Amino acid sequence: MKVRLCILFSFLTVSGQSLFGQDRLSLDQLVASALQHNGDILAVRQKQQEASGLVRQAGVRPSPSIQVEGSSGTILGSRGEYDFSVSYAHTFETGNKRSLRIAAAEPAVELARLESADRERTIRSEVAEAYADALAARLSLDTLEKLSTLNQEYLRVAQARVDQGESAPLERGLLQVEFSRIETDRLRLEAESSRALLVLKNLAGLKLDREITLDGDLTLQPIDLTAAGLIERALANRPDLKAATLDEESRNVDLQLARAEGIPNVTGFLGYSYKASHFDQLGLTASGATTPLVEHDNILNAGISIDLKKTNRNQGEIEAAIARKGASRYRREALTQTIERDVRSATSRYEAAQKTIGIFDKSLLSQSQQNLTAVRAAYEAGELRVFDLLSEQRRLVEIQRSYIDALKELYISRAQMERAAGGSVQ
C-alpha cells in the first residue's frame, strides 16, 4: 500500500504577523513610548530645566552686606566705655561681568535642547534595530515551529511505511534525529526571541513582564537616495553637529568673561558709629559746679574697596578659555568628518542589503521551493530516499533563515542610515 504525503509547506512563507502576546504594538508606537517613558531620554530632558536655572543664577547681582558691631568695657572693669557701629557695603561689578555671565550661560539652554533632540535621534534608531532583531527572531522561530509540525507528519508517514514493510526502520530513525535537531534549534531561538523582546521593551520604557505582539513586518519600500544627498541633509539636520557649532560660538563669550574677571570689582561702603567714654576726672559746669567728664561721638564714615589683582590679571583662566575654544573647533571638525563617514558607511550597507534581497526575491527562494517540491514528489514515488528529502528540506530552511537575516539587515541598515542622516530618508 502506497502512502501519499499531502502536506502544505506553509513554513515557506515569511509572515510578520506572528502572535505571542496580547498588546499589538507597531514600530511607531514603540518609538512613541520610548520618547515618553525611556529613562535616559527623561534624564537628558532635565538638563534643559537645569540650564534655565543656571541662566537665572548668572543674572544675580552680588548681594549687599550689613555689618553691626558693639563693644563695652564694663565686663573688663572699664565702666562707661561703650562703642556701637553699623555699616552697609555694596559691590559694583565692573567690565560688564553680569551681562557676560548671562550671555555665557544662555547657550546651555539651547545645547540641552539639542542634546535631548540628539538622544531622541539615537533612541529612534535603537528601537528600530531592536524591533528588527526581535521580529526576525520571532519569524525564524515561526519557521522552525512550522517545520517541526511538518516533520511530525513525515514521521507518522514513515512509521506507517515501516509498519507496512514499504521502507526500512532507518528511514524512521533519520526523521527522528532530524526532529530532535529542529527542536534544539527551536529552543535556542525561543531564548533569542525572549532576549530581543526584553531589549526592545526596555528601550521603549515598557514593563518587562508586559506581553506584547509586534505589529508589522520587515519589508521596506525601496528608496532613491545618494550618499552625497544624505551627507548634505545630515550636515544641515544633525542636532549633535548643531550643538558642536553652538558650543564653538559660545566660547567667544567665555573668553570675554575670563578677561572681564581680570578687572577688579569696586565695593562701596557707608557706616555710622557712636562712641561714649567716661573719665575719672571731674569737670565744671557753666555755673561752676563739678560734674563727671563724659565724651559722646557720632561718626559717619564712607569709602570704597578695590581688590588688588595680581599681575597676571586672570591670565590662567584666559588661557584655559582660549584652549577650550580651540578644542570646540576641533570637535566640530571631527564630528563633521564622522558624520560623512557614518552616512557613507550606512548607505553602502543599505545598498548591499538591497542587492542581497534582490537575489533572494528574483531566483533563490522560488528555485529552492521548486527543488523541494520536486524532491518531495520523487520521494513519494519511491525514487529518492528520505535522506535526500531531509537534505533538500534543510537547505530550504537555511535559505529561508538567511532570507530573514537579510530582511533584518536591510531594516537595520535603513535605521542606521536615518540615524546618520538625522531624520527619515523617505
Side-chain angles (χ1 to χ4, degrees), residues 54-61 98 101-102:
L54 292 177
V55 171
R56 286 192 294 271
Q57 185 62 35
V60 175
R61 300 179 186 274
R98 178 173 176 271
R101 280 201 309 271
I102 295 174

Side-chain angles (χ1 to χ4, degrees), residues 146-168:
K146 293 170 184 177
L147 180 61
S148 178
T149 301
L150 181 63
N151 275 1
Q152 284 180 334
E153 182 64 24
Y154 276 141
L155 190 58
R156 285 194 295 270
V157 171
Q159 182 63 50
R161 282 184 168 183
V162 171
D163 293 342
Q164 296 172 13
E166 294 184 4
S167 63

Side-chain angles (χ1 to χ4, degrees), residues 115-387:
E115 183 180 356
S116 178
D118 191 58
R119 187 65 188 99
E120 291 175 6
R121 172 184 67 89
T122 58
I123 200 70
R124 290 176 187 274
S125 173
E126 291 172 8
V127 171
E129 292 177 30
Y131 171 84
D133 195 22
L135 190 55
R138 187 62 220 182
L139 293 176
S140 295
L141 182 60
D142 287 346
T143 300
L144 279 187
E145 287 176 346
K146 293 170 184 177
L147 180 61
S148 178
T149 301
L150 181 63
N151 275 1
Q152 284 180 334
E153 182 64 24
Y154 276 141
L155 190 58
R156 285 194 295 270
V157 171
Q159 182 63 50
R161 282 184 168 183
V162 171
D163 293 342
Q164 296 172 13
E166 294 184 4
S167 63
L170 177 61
E171 181 175 313
R172 178 186 57 195
L174 290 173
L175 285 169
Q176 287 176 336
V177 170
E178 180 68 8
F179 180 79
S180 299
R181 187 191 66 82
I182 293 174
E183 183 65 15
T184 59
D185 285 348
R186 188 188 66 82
L187 292 175
R188 177 179 55 81
L189 279 175
E190 267 190 353
E192 290 182 6
S193 177
S194 298
R195 178 198 58 79
L197 271 180
L198 287 175
V199 172
L200 180 58
K201 287 189 281 189
N202 185 58
L203 285 171
L206 303 175
K207 292 183 178 180
L208 298 183
D209 59 351
R210 178 178 173 181
E211 296 293 332
I212 65 172
T213 297
L214 300 185
D215 188 13
D217 54 47
L218 292 177
T219 58
L220 292 172
Q221 293 296 326
I223 54 177
D224 185 17
L225 52 87
T226 62
L230 288 179
I231 291 173
E232 182 179 357
R233 186 186 305 182
L235 295 179
N237 298 333
R238 283 275 292 257
D240 52 345
L241 183 58
K242 291 181 179 180
T245 303
L246 178 60
D247 182 66
E248 181 184 1
E249 294 172 352
S250 67
R251 295 303 176 182
N252 292 322
V253 180
D254 291 343
L255 180 57
Q256 295 177 33
L257 179 59
R259 287 170 175 162
E261 292 292 347
I263 303 174
N265 293 329
V266 176
T267 302
F269 60 89
L270 178 66
Y272 163 78
S273 60
Y274 169 78
K275 294 183 179 180
S277 300
H278 288 72
F279 301 94
D280 294 335
Q281 293 84 358
L282 297 176
L284 298 175
T285 65
S287 61
T290 60
T291 181
L293 291 177
V294 178
E295 182 182 9
H296 298 276
D297 294 314
N298 292 291
I299 303 172
L300 185 65
N301 55 73
I304 61 172
S305 172
I306 301 177
D307 292 337
L308 297 178
K309 292 287 186 180
K310 294 182 179 180
T311 55
N312 63 13
R313 295 180 63 84
N314 209 36
Q315 288 301 312
E317 186 60 34
I318 293 174
E319 291 177 7
I322 294 174
R324 287 193 291 267
K325 180 181 178 181
S328 296
R329 177 171 61 85
Y330 289 131
R331 279 195 295 268
R332 177 187 56 79
E333 293 173 352
L335 180 58
T336 302
Q337 292 182 339
T338 300
I339 288 174
E340 182 175 353
R341 179 203 66 192
D342 290 346
V343 170
R344 292 187 182 278
S345 176
T347 303
S348 298
R349 182 177 177 181
Y350 176 78
E351 291 173 349
Q354 270 191 320
K355 292 177 182 178
T356 302
I357 293 296
I359 295 174
F360 277 103
D361 290 339
K362 288 180 180 179
S363 58
L364 188 56
L365 279 174
S366 59
Q367 186 61 52
S368 297
Q369 292 170 357
Q370 293 173 10
N371 291 346
L372 182 59
T373 301
V375 170
R376 179 171 66 89
Y379 172 70
E380 292 176 359
E383 298 175 358
L384 293 176
R385 300 168 301 169
V386 70
F387 177 80

Side-chain angles (χ1 to χ4, degrees), residues 68-139:
V68 179
E69 184 178 355
S71 60
S72 174
T74 303
I75 298 175
L76 300 178
S78 298
R79 186 173 56 87
E81 296 295 329
Y82 178 75
D83 188 359
F84 171 80
S85 64
V86 57
S87 62
Y88 171 84
H90 188 91
T91 299
F92 298 92
E93 291 185 301
T94 59
N96 202 26
K97 293 186 182 70
R98 178 173 176 271
S99 297
L100 289 173
R101 280 201 309 271
I102 295 174
E106 283 177 339
V109 178
E110 180 64 10
L111 286 172
R113 187 193 69 79
L114 290 172
E115 183 180 356
S116 178
D118 191 58
R119 187 65 188 99
E120 291 175 6
R121 172 184 67 89
T122 58
I123 200 70
R124 290 176 187 274
S125 173
E126 291 172 8
V127 171
E129 292 177 30
Y131 171 84
D133 195 22
L135 190 55
R138 187 62 220 182
L139 293 176

Side-chain angles (χ1 to χ4, degrees), residues 5-57:
L5 295 178
C6 299
I7 304 172
L8 295 177
F9 290 85
S10 59
F11 71 96
L12 300 178
T13 302
V14 177
S15 169
Q17 302 295 329
S18 52
L19 300 179
F20 56 103
Q22 298 297 323
D23 297 332
R24 299 183 64 86
L25 296 177
S26 66
L27 175 60
D28 290 340
Q29 290 173 316
L30 290 166
V31 170
S33 177
L35 296 179
Q36 185 177 1
H37 301 295
N38 183 275
D40 192 21
I41 286 284
L42 298 178
V44 171
R45 287 173 181 164
Q46 290 299 309
K47 292 186 177 182
Q48 297 182 55
Q49 184 175 353
E50 175 188 351
S52 298
L54 292 177
V55 171
R56 286 192 294 271
Q57 185 62 35

